[in-house]
């Protein structure tokens, strides 16, 4: 399906309030965010979800204050696995220089999809893949520098 036709049709059908009501938060994500904040590190999110859908979800889940940067992928910002939206989040977090000079050691990108890991690599970051769906669902494995069944694995390991 041509993306130029698909996305406008898809967005006409989306109801932001309904999307927010059915969105749930994995418990391990909350624990990971708490750990990152306790370490004094910033947290950003890069999502394919559009702003008109992202805002109600963040508000419904009461997690807006968890993130120091929220970047929604668009034609202008780019789409994961492109590095552009990730670099935008890095800039909003005030980490541009550290990432560019440290070769990606200033952060990681954690996600549950292959586009997340691809975006991490394209932006010069390590990728952490959390297996939420199983390779049988997507038809292949997703491998990053780190692969975890739950973000709790990261919290336990420090």
């Amino acid at each position: 399906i041509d993306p130029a036709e698909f996305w406008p049709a898809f967005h006409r059908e989306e109801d932001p309030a309904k999307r927010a009501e059915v969105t749930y938060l994995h418990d391990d994500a909350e624990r990971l965010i708490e750990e990152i904040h306790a370490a004094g590190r910033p947290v950003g999110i890069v999502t394919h979800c559009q702003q008109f859908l992202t805002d109600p979800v963040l508000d419904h889940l009461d997690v807006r204050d968890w993130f120091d940067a929220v970047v929604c992928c668009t034609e202008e910002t780019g789409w994961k696995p492109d590095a552009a939206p990730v670099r935008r989040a890095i800039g909003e977090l005030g980490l541009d220089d550290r990432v560019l000079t440290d070769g990606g050691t200033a952060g990681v990108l954690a996600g549950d999809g292959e586009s997340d890991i691809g975006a991490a690599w394209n932006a010069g970051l390590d990728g952490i893949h959390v297996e939420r769906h199983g390779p049988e669902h997507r038809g292949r494995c997703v491998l990053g520098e780190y692969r975890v069944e739950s973000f709790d694995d990261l919290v336990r390991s420090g």
Side-chain angles (χ1 to χ4, degrees):
I1 299 175
D2 177 27
E5 293 176 28
F6 172 78
W7 287 112
F10 181 77
H11 291 146
R12 280 192 302 274
E13 297 301 316
E14 281 279 28
D15 180 323
K18 286 182 183 175
R19 167 73 76 96
E21 289 172 11
V22 299
T23 302
Y24 61 93
L25 183 64
H26 292 274
D27 292 337
D28 62 334
E30 182 173 6
R31 289 186 290 274
L32 178 62
I33 298 293
E34 288 172 355
E35 188 81 13
I36 295 168
H37 281 272
R41 303 283 190 207
V43 178
I45 186 171
V46 178
T47 178
H48 280 168
C49 196
Q50 298 301 283
Q51 197 75 52
F52 81 98
L53 298 167
T54 300
D55 286 338
V57 168
L58 293 175
D59 292 338
H60 177 76
L61 296 174
D62 195 25
V63 298
R64 184 178 295 276
D65 62 337
W66 288 13
F67 304 103
D68 303 293
V70 176
V71 174
C72 296
C73 294
T74 65
E75 288 299 318
E76 294 78 36
T77 63
W79 300 91
K80 297 180 290 182
D82 184 354
V86 176
R87 290 207 180 278
R88 175 178 251 175
I90 290 168
E92 289 182 19
L93 294 171
L95 300 174
D96 274 341
D97 295 334
R98 289 174 53 197
V99 170
L100 295 176
T101 60
D102 291 348
T105 60
V108 297
L109 189 150
D112 63 3
E114 62 189 282
S115 67
D116 297 314
I117 302 305
W121 291 346
N122 289 335
L125 300 173
D126 284 351
I128 299 172
H129 180 251
V130 61
E131 188 60 76
R132 299 274 193 223
H133 310 294
E136 62 282 350
H137 173 75
R138 87 174 47 76
R140 62 190 159 281
C141 284
V142 177
L143 298 176
E145 280 74 21
Y146 308 94
R147 186 170 186 197
V148 296
E149 295 296 318
S150 164
F151 286 136
D152 286 335
D153 297 338
L154 298 173
V155 173
R156 283 190 290 273
S157 68

